[in-house]
Amino acid sequence: TVSLLQSIALSLHTYPAVLGLEALNEPWQFTPLDVLKAFYWDAYWAVRAAAPQWLFVVHDSFRLDEWRGFMRGFQLSSRRLA
């Protein structure tokens, strides 16, 4: 899945209408958090390598409180949306 996300980013990174991607849409709420967080980190670096200007979106897997501080301090881009 990570390599597919990177392929998508490589093929679409020059399209100005594409601002980023969400790595997973609503992952199962019982997915082990360590597995999900590791996947998000792997996907983040793969997408960033292909499309450094893109936003990277994660879904909280319906466990909002478990994500506090995750990826804090990391920015995909210094570009700001108006």
Side-chain angles (χ1 to χ4, degrees):
T1 305
V2 171
S3 61
L4 178 60
L5 292 170
Q6 189 172 41
S7 294
I8 292 169
L10 282 169
S11 64
L12 299 177
H13 76 279
T14 60
Y15 287 71
V18 180
L19 300 176
L21 67 85
E22 180 179 24
L24 291 174
N25 182 41
E26 298 184 1
W28 185 50
Q29 65 185 349
F30 299 111
T31 303
L33 279 175
D34 60 332
V35 172
L36 190 54
K37 288 179 178 183
F39 168 77
Y40 279 145
W41 274 118
D42 291 345
Y44 170 81
W45 290 116
V47 169
R48 183 177 172 92
Q53 75 281 12
W54 277 14
L55 301 174
F56 185 80
V57 179
V58 299
H59 189 280
D60 63 14
S61 183
F62 306 99
R63 297 175 280 185
L64 183 59
D65 292 338
E66 301 293 330
W67 295 89
R68 187 159 287 129
F70 181 66
M71 297 182 108
R72 181 165 300 185
F74 281 83
Q75 289 186 5
L76 185 58
S77 170
S78 60
R79 181 181 70 159
R80 300 277 184 225
L81 300 177

